[in-house]
Each structure stands twice: as C-alpha cells, then as structure tokens.
Amino acid sequence: MGLTLDDSALLRVRMRALGLDGNWLADAAGATGTVGTTDATGTTGTTGTTGTTGATGAAGAADPADAADLAGAASAARARALVEHLFAVQGQDWRSSKWALGVRAPGLTAGDVTAALNAGTVVRSWPMRGTVHLVPAADIGWMQRLTNPRVLAGAPKRRAFLGMSDAALEHASEVSVAALTGGNSLDRTALSQVWTEAGIDWKPNWRYHLIWWLCQTGLTTFGPVPAAAGAAADPEPRLVLASEWIREPRELEGDAALVEFATRYVRGRGAVSRKDLASWAMLPAASAARGLSLAVEAGELVEGRRAAVTGAAGALWLSPEALAAAETGDGAASAATGWQLLPAFDEHLLGFSERSPQFDSAHLGSLIPGKNGMFLATVVRDGRAVGTWRRDPKTAALRVTPFAGERIDVAALAPEAARRAVFYGEPEPDLQLTAA
C-alpha cells in the first residue's frame, strides 16, 4: 500500500535512513544482529547487506591487550556497517568524511574509521559521478562497472585539454601497476615519483587525472592509512592494487546490479524520487527508473507519493523499513534530533537532488559561496540546515554562521562540538558565532 508523505514526514523518514535521528545503532542491531559484539566462533562475519559484525571470541579476552584489540575490531566493524548502510559517503575531504560516520554513531572515533580502511573492509575511491567516496570494499567494483559508461565517456576530452596522450596514459598505468604489485602501497607523491623515474614527462596538472583514472577503472583504490608522522598529522589513505587489496569482491551485473544499487541507495536515504537516484548515481533516467521498478517487483522497495506534488514528480520510493516507521510513528515520528554539526559534503544534502525538506534553497549562495560545488559544513536543527560552520585553522575554534533569518543557539551546540572533539582526540574547541 502506498503512502503519502508531507514534507515533515519526508524529513523524518530521511533523517531516520541517514542515521541522523539517533536510531541507527538500534536499527542496525535489530536488523542484522548486535553490531560490534563477539560471536561464538571468534570470527568476524557478514550476513546480507550489513551483516552481523563480530570481532573475536571470548578466548583470551581476559588479557587487557586482547580486550583492547576486541574493542578496536568491534568499533572498526561498526564503522564498516555504517558505510554499508549508507552505501557511499562523500569523501572529497578526508577529515570530513570520517566525521560523517562519527556524527551518526556516538562513541565511534576517527581511529575506528581508519581501522576499517586498514582492515580492507572500506575503501576510498570513485564509485560514480567522478566523485570520491568512502564505500564498502566488496561493492566498489560492480558499482563502477554499472556507472562507468557515462563517467569515462568524458575522459578523452579531459586528457586532450591536459595535453596528455593515450600513450602517456598507458605508460603511466603500466608503471603504476608494476610499482604497486606485491602488496605495496604508495601515496600520491610517491606514485608520481615512480612516473618520473620511469621517464614519463608528466605535468603537475596530470596527477589528479591519472590517479582518478587508475581508481575509476578499478585498477587501484585508496586503502591503508599510514600512521601519522611529522607534519602529516592526518595522512590520507594510500593507493594499492584493487585486485590485491579487496579480498572478496561482489560480482553483480545487469539488472541485478541495478536492483542492488537502487535498493541500497534508497535504504540509506529514506524516501527519494527517480530524479534523486539518477542524479546521485549519474545514471541514465531510464536505468534509474528500471532499477527502482525491478526493486519494487522484488519486494525490496515500495512506492509512495509526496503530498501536494502531482504527476511523476511526486512519485517516491521507500524501503519497507522506512514505510513501516512512517506508518507506525516508530522513531521517525519523533526524531528529536536537536542540534548537529554535519561535515562538509554530507549526504544529508548531497544525497538528494531535491532537498527542500532539509534545506531552503534561498540559502544556496551561503551553502556554496563560490558556486563551485564546494558544500560547506552545516549546522542542523531538527533535521533542517540553519547555517554553516568551519574550523579556524589557527585557533581551532569552530565559527558558526546562521543563514539569513535563522538563529543558532551556540550553547545548545556545545555538546556536539565536545563530541566532535572526542571523536578526533582534540581539545574541546571554542564556539564563535559570526555574521554571514
């Protein structure tokens, strides 16, 4: 049975699915088993989409070091489960992408996110739109095979603009694969040094495109994160061969891939339109429509409507879980989210093409000041973005700026600022209210 959602209900359903209403841990435990606990066999396992996550058995747990390892493995598993639920998390800014998980899972730390990448269960790569994300390692390959046609179509034109020949691309790809073979990992600087040593006359503006190409075509991915050293206080993941690093890739093609993609996207976003999916994945409209239709036929998704929006534009797709929450008022009906500090590029806004339940488009100029696609970090109250914030690089203070006509309660934000500081292992910052 279909459900009609007004914008208030739509916001509640989206916040629930996005893991931003405080219910994600309970939902994950109820759907897949207790997240981050031990299992009887002493193994870490996955079942279904997110799976039952365990770190180790009880043997040896009396040793404090073993207990610490247990806790660390469980937390890394929790980070992995959250990425699996969201399907893909914007990762342009490495530091912000970690907080995108931390804000949704109280008790998680930046180190837990790093541990999930070091365990090989989460990677950082380009699954679609030519945009880097954190994604489940097992899913990146089939996602790229589904979305690559449109993304790769523009690559030759870009290389022509950069003055990069096909021969140079092929040579750089060959020497990169050779340098990484055998379990090696390299950062961007070290990989470009490999090109120089191989006699490739590469230009500085080639590097991003070359690394993007290596990842987008599935040859490499960003995986392990080195320990911080010297000036590298927050080092980014290093490049590895995808075929060596990803141990159990899933193999999905054709309609099966479309159904999985549509289902996972909708489950992590709540209630979406066909345009939302097509835009987020940069899929042809017909492919997005087919994926949603087949997912409904398979019982993975249900159809609904947006109140006061007629025709095809008002059609919505929801997961059965979101439908149940909306109909019963379970969790989603109250969704007392309070005040939140969401990172730049968060899926709260970027996960949708039509985001009016969460954000007033009149403030778009304040959200993206340079009109360049660089979304600022947002201050959110009860699910709606009411301003932006940034961390002062010199003082580490958090400067919050309300949108025109909005008000931000700095004192009410203090607990979130403190939680964020704990997540990163930093001193609690000052909160400063600034004018737009």
Side-chain angles (χ1 to χ4, degrees):
M1 180 176 63
L3 178 72
T4 298
L5 300 176
D6 61 19
D7 278 7
S8 178
L10 182 54
L11 175 61
R12 293 194 300 267
V13 167
R14 286 181 172 179
M15 291 294 284
R16 178 67 169 263
L18 287 164
L20 289 171
D21 75 341
N23 285 303
W24 177 75
L25 289 177
D27 288 349
T32 61
T34 303
V35 177
T37 59
T38 59
D39 64 19
T41 62
T43 60
T44 299
T46 60
T47 303
T49 302
T50 52
T52 301
T53 57
T56 185
D63 187 304
D66 289 344
D69 288 344
L70 265 173
S75 294
R78 192 156 61 114
R80 183 215 69 205
L82 183 50
V83 174
E84 287 178 343
H85 168 73
L86 292 171
F87 193 33
V89 178
Q90 294 273 335
Q92 296 97 316
D93 184 290
W94 166 234
R95 183 176 171 88
S96 292
S97 67
K98 289 186 286 187
W99 177 235
L101 303 183
V103 74
R104 290 165 164 83
L108 205 68
T109 68
D112 298 329
V113 180
T114 293
L117 274 87
N118 285 335
T121 59
V122 174
V123 295
R124 186 173 181 235
S125 192
W126 286 262
M128 67 238 165
R129 300 199 318 268
T131 303
V132 68
H133 290 73
L134 295 181
V135 293
D139 293 315
I140 183 63
W142 71 263
M143 292 174 72
Q144 289 177 327
R145 289 191 294 273
L146 179 66
T147 62
N148 268 355
R150 278 194 166 187
V151 176
L152 295 180
K157 184 176 180 180
R158 178 60 181 169
R159 287 195 291 274
F161 174 80
L162 295 172
M164 183 193 308
S165 67
D166 289 344
L169 174 68
E170 184 176 355
H171 191 190
S173 298
E174 289 175 350
V175 300
S176 297
V177 169
L180 293 170
T181 296
N184 296 323
S185 66
L186 297 170
D187 62 21
R188 297 169 189 260
T189 301
L191 183 62
S192 57
Q193 182 60 33
V194 168
W195 303 334
T196 300
E197 293 170 356
I200 300 172
D201 184 20
W202 63 279
K203 309 296 188 294
N205 62 354
W206 288 14
R207 187 167 74 173
Y208 182 89
H209 184 85
L210 285 170
I211 291 174
W212 167 81
W213 174 266
L214 289 167
C215 289
Q216 189 75 65
T217 54
L219 290 172
T220 67
T221 189
F222 285 99
V225 183
D234 194 11
E236 294 192 352
R238 292 162 67 93
L239 282 159
V240 289
L241 282 187
S243 60
E244 293 182 350
W245 185 254
I246 300 173
R247 295 183 290 275
E248 297 181 357
R250 299 182 67 200
E251 299 295 336
L252 294 171
E253 302 287 348
D255 284 348
L258 274 176
V259 170
E260 178 79 358
F261 199 106
T263 300
R264 297 276 293 281
Y265 166 67
V266 175
R267 282 180 179 167
R269 305 300 176 281
V272 305
S273 69
R274 183 184 298 115
K275 183 180 178 182
D276 287 331
L277 171 59
S279 176
W280 188 79
M282 209 171 92
L283 284 172
S287 295
R290 180 169 178 78
L292 291 167
S293 177
L294 290 174
V296 171
E297 289 180 15
E300 299 289 348
L301 300 177
V302 294
E303 295 175 286
R305 290 207 59 81
R306 186 171 181 181
V309 181
T310 60
L316 293 174
W317 283 262
L318 305 84
S319 70
E321 296 84 1
L323 178 64
E327 288 180 329
T328 64
D330 178 23
S334 56
T337 57
W339 291 88
Q340 294 169 309
L341 291 168
L342 301 191
F345 304 106
D346 194 84
E347 291 293 318
H348 174 252
L349 296 183
L350 272 76
F352 310 87
S353 63
E354 207 298 304
R355 52 184 74 99
S356 59
Q358 303 101 283
F359 173 72
D360 185 342
S361 62
H363 303 311
L364 194 61
S366 298
L367 179 67
I368 317 172
K371 299 180 180 180
N372 55 3
M374 302 297 287
F375 282 64
L376 297 182
T378 52
V379 178
V380 170
R381 183 183 186 186
D382 295 334
R384 287 190 59 82
V386 295
T388 62
W389 66 273
R390 68 180 182 89
R391 180 177 181 269
D392 188 299
K394 293 183 179 179
T395 67
L398 301 188
R399 296 186 173 180
V400 297
T401 306
F403 293 139
E406 298 285 359
R407 174 182 170 274
I408 292 177
D409 185 341
V410 173
L413 270 179
E416 278 295 280
R419 188 163 74 86
R420 179 183 171 278
V422 171
F423 175 82
Y424 286 117
E426 298 173 345
E428 187 171 339
D430 290 332
L431 279 169
Q432 300 175 355
L433 188 65
T434 65

